[in-house]
Amino acid sequence: MLEYSLLVVERRAAVATDGSAARLAPLGEDGPAVRTDHKESVFGIDTRLEGHLDPGVGVGFVVECHATVRLSPVDRLALEVGGRLSRRHRDIRIHLATTYNISDKIVTRLRVISRSGWITGYLCVGWEPPSMTLDPVHFDGIAGLADRIDHGADERDRRAFAETVWDSFLDPLTVDGRSILEPVDEQSRRLVDCEDVALRNREFDTVHGLDAGTINPTTFKNGLVIDVAQTAMSATPTDLDLHRSRTAVMTVHSNDETMTVDEDWGTFDEGYSRSRAVKTPPLPRFAEGVVHALALYLAESKHALAHAERVSDLLVLDGPIYPRGLLRWADQHPDLADFLLEDPRPTTVLENYVRLVERFRERDVPLVGFVKNPATRVITRALKRDDEAGLSVPWSDDSALFTRLLERGEYVDDVTGDRWERNTEALTYTNWFRSRGGVDRPLSIDGDALGVERNRALEDYEVTFFVVYDPRDDLVYRVEAPYGFTRDPETRERLTMHLLQEIAVAHGPPTIVQKADELARIGAAEKQSLRETLEQRFDTSQDRTYDDLRWDGETY
């Protein structure tokens, strides 16, 4: 089974053969991986196989083709298994694909219509190590530096220390006499078989998801720093009108006091979508972070409020239930803290989320936030501050601690001694916790919510969460919900089982979140096109650096 369904197809030179039947040659050796009697249309793909992180290599061969058919050169044509072209090539109009498993290899039967006629062929996927960019002697020299580092306590001691933290410090976890973390119910760790939970009946008949995509902060030579966010809501079963709707926000920063922005809301796409431009105050040092956070959270919160009534059973946010990136400003720098507390724009954004919780609580429709990359440090920071305990905390964040607590396995004999072998059959998860530390404090019962009025009991807004560990990928996820919903044991259990089922089925984030991500995502090509359009509208150009030239088209 392919770990990723996106295939990148390239035109490659044909290879000579000595027979009419195609033959496979072992990967990793010199020469082609596949040989065929057809000398013209041979394609290759770069993909990945399940269980491997390194790039794989596959070569396809044509088995049916009219002798006169020629495809013009295909620079890099992205195809998806399942029958869709993710980017159309001018010579290809139809793509049909069926996947077969043959001799532990993955073979995709590919049929395309070119302007010249039909071409039917196969893509055979294999795997080989990536090419080395370092000379072996340099690689060994760099790797040898690890021998100079004593990484402290061994893995057994760290696992034992994690158990001590779980048994002695989390019920409750206090700082200066104030409880910042405590179980909602009984503190426990549980497990559920992946197959069993995947096959159970669904807890909610309909589910909606929410996500936002941005172009990322862009600086122009006229001094403008801009980010654009669009938000979409997904639904299962599908709601086409809802999927069509967008909320788009452009935030702009400038040191030029004469720059003005029309900040009224407008509509587009026949009224299905709406948009707004927002000016941020002059904060040159933090311009990129401010325009990004305001665009993202304003678009997300306004879109959620606009379509709240369409959610009848459950809403899943892609990310935390409150604007964590914005709330974090209070601890980052005095200028950001002043902006957060004194400027109405971030307060308005937070108020949108507070009203969202109230709207859903009034209708008794739960909402949760699915955090794919949790990076909270509430527990680890509290443990480090505990002078009486005198703890040496080895984990960089709470996720590392929960990974140790939830990972199941045993030490087995190995040629070099023993090694940890992880059990991958079951998802493991914690009970729900109430969180009042770090950026969760403003919405706690003793927080001020940045001055935003809360119309319900203060405890209803508190952040509660549980942590899920998926051993198949060695990843932890954090699921958040307001205490107003998780206070009820039945609702809490339904939410827990629904998210566990989604993770088990999707082998990762819930499908409704992935669906929202697909709707809201702004692809690399669209980002570049938008930046070029903005250059034309502003009669300027993007402020580029050498890194933009050096790493163009690459991730750095």
Side-chain angles (χ1 to χ4, degrees), residues 53-67:
L53 299 178
D54 297 318
V57 173
V59 177
F61 59 94
V62 172
V63 294
E64 288 179 21
C65 182
H66 190 277

Side-chain angles (χ1 to χ4, degrees), residues 276 278 281 293-294 297-298 301-302 305 322-323 326-327 329 336-355 443 448-454:
R276 183 186 180 190
V278 178
L294 283 181
Y297 293 124
L298 180 58
S301 59
K302 293 298 288 187
L305 282 172
Y322 297 117
L326 186 147
L327 293 171
W329 290 349
L336 281 176
D338 292 342
F339 172 53
L340 180 65
L341 297 174
E342 299 173 5
D343 193 280
R345 278 158 286 204
T347 304
T348 299
V349 170
L350 179 60
E351 183 178 4
N352 289 340
Y353 286 90
V354 170
R355 300 294 169 253
L443 277 303
D448 62 359
L450 305 186
V452 174
E453 182 180 1
R454 288 171 283 183

Side-chain angles (χ1 to χ4, degrees), residues 166 188-194 197 401-409 422-431 466-472 474-479 496 499-500 503-504:
W166 176 263
S188 62
R189 287 171 287 179
R190 304 158 188 170
L191 63 88
V192 61
D193 182 82
C194 293
V197 73
L401 168 61
F402 280 114
T403 297
R404 288 292 165 263
L405 289 171
L406 294 173
E407 185 182 35
R408 299 168 58 246
R422 186 167 60 245
N423 185 317
T424 60
E425 296 178 354
L427 300 177
T428 51
Y429 59 103
T430 68
N431 57 280
F466 77 98
V467 177
V468 185
Y469 175 69
D470 188 343
R472 299 169 296 181
D474 192 24
L475 293 175
V476 294
Y477 304 109
R478 172 173 159 133
V479 179
T496 302
L499 271 301
L500 290 173
I503 294 170

Side-chain angles (χ1 to χ4, degrees), residues 176-209:
D176 298 330
R178 174 177 173 269
S179 173
I180 63 171
L181 188 85
E182 63 184 48
V184 173
D185 54 358
E186 180 184 358
Q187 182 179 335
S188 62
R189 287 171 287 179
R190 304 158 188 170
L191 63 88
V192 61
D193 182 82
C194 293
E195 292 187 5
D196 290 345
V197 73
L199 296 174
R200 65 177 283 128
N201 293 330
R202 294 179 61 85
E203 295 291 340
F204 298 93
D205 294 330
T206 65
V207 182
H208 290 71

